[in-house]
Amino acid sequence: MGKLKSGWTRGTVIIIVAIGFLFAGIFVSNYFQAKAASGPSNHQKDNSINRAIAKGPSPETIIMDTTDAILEKERIQTLQEQAKIWRNKQEHVPEITTNDNTAAQPSNNEKETPPAKESDAAEQGQNRTEQQGNNKTVYLTFDDGPAPFSGDIIALLEKYQFKATFFMLDGNIRSYPDAVRLMVSKGETVGLHSVTHDVRKFYASADSVIAELTQNRNTLKEISGIDSYIMRTPYGSVPKMTAEYRKAVNDNGYIMWDWNIDSRDWDYKDSRYVSSVINQLTKMTNHNEPIVILLHERKETLAHLPALLDYLSKNGYEGKAIDSSMAPYQFKVR
């Protein structure tokens, strides 16, 4: 009886010890696996993430974002330059490269004659070719306004007894309503120049062209009481105004005007734009279409506008505003 108990006790002890070693092995294995999972590699990974967050975006990412913005800006500038080159080819207008800020004098061969008399609107339309053949009437046009200094531009026009045409943006009309009303009260012509002035949005389709012009016209009518259909497209009609777009414009009664003298005030931003206008003007002695000068409502343009008006006035030019009876000047499409 004692031996049986003793044998049973030793066997039990052996089993218990074996089970104990088994559980101890499992515990130790799990311990080291858990430690390995949370060891130096993960700590190193966490530290790398924390350092990256602290440092912010990488220089490469910043460069990519900046490059995208620069490329977009260059794309718009390229569109402007392409349109300008196209227009110069159509009109054979030479590039102005002089840095001389002194206004050029008219050619000695230029024949000065008094401006033709203006009768009623119908007679003006019929005699337009003869009058322009004398080359003594100019049509100053100002884009992108109105602006806080529109009143100063109008005051100068009044001083020299000139009239002009203002192609205005929808948002600016709402921002400077008093300037618009002043233009109307002084006998200037008020016209349309789109809502967005964005190439991609305005020229997206024939519908987008008409939609922007219609909104622009309604705003102008609301502010000034004038229902004007005289308009100019952003950056001019070439090359974006397709045959479809032109038909839509005509079908809706809009009268589209371009220009044949680009002052390049948007480019020069100083007195060189005055020389640019005069140089082009003296080459148009035999021109038999309206002489339309492109200007912008810019502070730099205003600063040197007296010099241009002084030259025009002293040389016998008369500044008139465009009216709806006139056949519009438009870029030639080939």
Side-chain angles (χ1 to χ4, degrees):
M1 185 70 180
K3 290 182 179 180
L4 180 60
K5 183 178 180 180
S6 175
W8 178 84
T9 302
R10 284 196 300 270
T12 301
V13 171
I14 291 171
I15 292 172
I16 291 173
V17 170
I19 292 173
F21 277 113
L22 177 61
F23 278 103
I26 293 172
F27 174 80
V28 171
S29 175
N30 289 339
Y31 171 79
F32 282 108
Q33 287 178 2
K35 186 173 183 180
S38 61
S41 60
N42 281 344
H43 286 299
Q44 183 177 2
K45 182 178 179 180
D46 292 340
N47 290 336
S48 298
I49 293 172
N50 292 333
R51 285 197 301 271
I53 293 172
K55 289 170 65 177
S58 68
E60 292 79 4
T61 303
I62 295 173
I63 291 172
M64 288 177 63
D65 292 342
T66 305
T67 301
D68 290 342
I70 292 173
L71 289 175
E72 178 63 15
K73 181 178 180 181
E74 289 178 349
R75 189 185 72 82
I76 296 299
Q77 291 175 341
T78 299
L79 282 172
Q80 292 176 328
E81 290 300 318
Q82 288 175 345
K84 178 168 69 69
I85 291 170
W86 181 288
R87 293 192 295 269
N88 287 342
K89 285 181 179 179
Q90 303 304 311
E91 300 302 321
H92 305 288
V93 177
E95 289 290 328
I96 306 301
T97 56
T98 178
N99 290 325
D100 185 7
N101 291 339
T102 304
Q105 295 299 316
S107 168
N108 293 331
N109 296 326
E110 181 180 354
K111 183 179 179 182
E112 294 188 7
T113 57
K117 290 184 178 181
E118 180 181 1
S119 58
D120 55 38
E123 184 178 350
Q124 180 189 14
Q126 293 173 357
N127 295 334
R128 176 175 50 81
T129 299
E130 180 181 351
Q131 181 178 348
Q132 293 306 318
N134 293 329
N135 197 31
K136 304 309 297 184
T137 299
V138 294
Y139 296 88
L140 301 178
T141 62
F142 293 85
D143 285 9
D144 298 350
F149 44 83
S150 294
D152 296 327
I153 294 176
I154 296 170
L156 281 172
L157 294 172
E158 289 287 298
K159 177 181 177 181
Y160 287 89
Q161 298 182 348
F162 270 49
K163 296 300 177 186
T165 303
F166 293 83
F167 294 104
M168 296 179 288
L169 298 172
D170 190 86
N172 288 347
I173 292 173
R174 292 200 176 277
S175 295
Y176 305 103
D178 290 341
V180 180
R181 297 185 188 105
L182 179 63
M183 292 171 188
V184 173
S185 70
K186 295 299 183 181
E188 317 295 346
T189 291
V190 290
L192 317 173
H193 196 43
S194 82
V195 177
T196 64
H197 206 279
D198 185 307
V199 171
R200 291 171 297 181
K201 294 179 180 178
F202 183 86
Y203 295 107
S205 67
D207 289 340
S208 64
V209 170
I210 299 304
E212 288 209 20
L213 291 175
T214 301
Q215 179 179 329
N216 202 181
R217 179 170 61 86
N218 289 338
T219 298
L220 178 59
K221 184 177 180 181
E222 174 190 337
I223 298 299
S224 70
I226 302 298
D227 192 14
S228 177
Y229 283 79
I230 295 173
M231 49 77 73
R232 173 174 287 160
T233 62
Y235 308 105
S237 65
V238 172
K240 295 293 184 180
M241 283 294 287
T242 65
E244 178 190 1
Y245 295 1
R246 291 170 185 269
K247 183 179 186 302
V249 164
N250 291 333
D251 289 348
N252 284 271
Y254 292 104
I255 306 170
M256 183 176 69
W257 280 82
D258 288 312
W259 60 88
N260 44 31
I261 292 183
D262 184 352
S263 70
R264 295 183 65 185
D265 58 346
W266 55 270
D267 182 23
Y268 290 132
K269 301 177 183 178
D270 57 32
S271 64
R272 285 177 294 170
Y273 88 79
V274 177
S275 297
S276 174
V277 170
I278 295 172
N279 287 340
Q280 294 174 66
L281 190 58
T282 55
K283 293 176 173 64
M284 300 177 71
T285 303
N286 298 319
H287 192 73
N288 61 1
E289 293 180 296
I291 298 177
V292 186
I293 301 174
L294 171 65
L295 299 160
H296 294 81
E297 291 202 53
R298 303 174 59 94
K299 289 184 179 180
E300 299 91 347
T301 302
L302 171 62
H304 303 284
L305 186 58
L308 176 59
L309 295 176
D310 192 58
Y311 169 84
L312 294 173
S313 180
K314 287 181 178 178
N315 285 277
Y317 289 93
E318 182 179 6
K320 294 184 179 180
I322 290 169
D323 69 68
S324 58
S325 72
M326 298 172 59
Y329 177 84
Q330 297 176 356
F331 297 140
K332 296 177 178 62
V333 180
R334 293 182 180 179

